[in-house]
């Protein structure tokens, strides 16, 4: 799986915290769901941006699997919480996609 992180206006400590949180807790959940699909061809992209004016983080996640593009976006005052909410939405989309494939 190809994993990319993009950050805008986020300090180094927050970047490292989010990358560690993803690698420690979330990557296993994602790879477990992608075992039946093409794990090697999957592309995961995380975009995180901080808006000073609104004092809010915007996290956008994208997952590309063969012909399917899954996307999730969340806004929150806490970077990790915004990531967790967006990640849960992405996992829900992936589960729906898997059930559709298995029903056919």
């Amino acid at each position: 799986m190809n994993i990319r992180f993009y950050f805008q206006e986020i300090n180094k400590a927050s970047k490292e915290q989010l990358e560690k949180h993803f690698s420690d807790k979330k990557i296993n959940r994602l790879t477990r769901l992608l075992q039946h699909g093409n794990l090697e061809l999957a592309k995961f992209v995380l975009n995180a941006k901080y808006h000073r004016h609104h004092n809010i983080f915007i996290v956008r996640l994208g997952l590309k699997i063969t012909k399917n593009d899954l996307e999730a976006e969340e806004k929150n005052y806490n970077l990790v919480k915004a990531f967790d909410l967006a990640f849960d939405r992405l996992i829900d989309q992936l589960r729906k996609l898997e059930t559709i494939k298995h029903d056919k």
Side-chain angles (χ1 to χ4, degrees), residues 14-103:
S14 295
K15 288 178 191 179
E16 291 172 356
Q17 178 189 10
L18 187 60
E19 289 174 356
K20 184 173 175 13
H21 179 70
F22 176 73
S23 64
D24 290 347
K25 298 183 179 174
K26 301 298 181 178
I27 190 131
N28 292 334
R29 189 173 171 195
L30 188 60
T31 53
R32 217 173 346 123
L33 287 172
L34 289 174
Q35 283 179 349
H36 303 293
N38 296 327
L39 179 62
E40 298 83 26
L41 300 176
K43 294 178 183 175
F44 179 81
V45 178
L46 175 135
N47 290 316
K49 185 175 184 179
Y50 178 70
H51 281 276
R52 289 184 196 176
H53 181 70
H54 298 288
N55 192 25
I56 197 165
F57 292 98
I58 299 174
V59 176
R60 291 185 181 108
L61 302 178
L63 181 64
K64 210 175 228 190
I65 312 166
T66 57
K67 296 179 182 177
N68 301 306
D69 291 335
L70 307 176
E71 294 179 351
E73 179 180 327
E74 276 299 325
K75 298 174 185 174
N76 201 314
Y77 296 104
N78 183 337
L79 178 62
V80 175
K81 189 171 278 198
F83 170 74
D84 285 341
L85 292 170
F87 190 79
D88 288 341
R89 282 191 177 182
L90 194 71
I91 293 297
D92 289 342
Q93 292 176 22
L94 186 57
R95 284 189 179 141
K96 278 184 185 178
L97 184 67
E98 289 295 318
T99 56
I100 290 171
K101 283 182 180 180
H102 289 295
D103 289 344

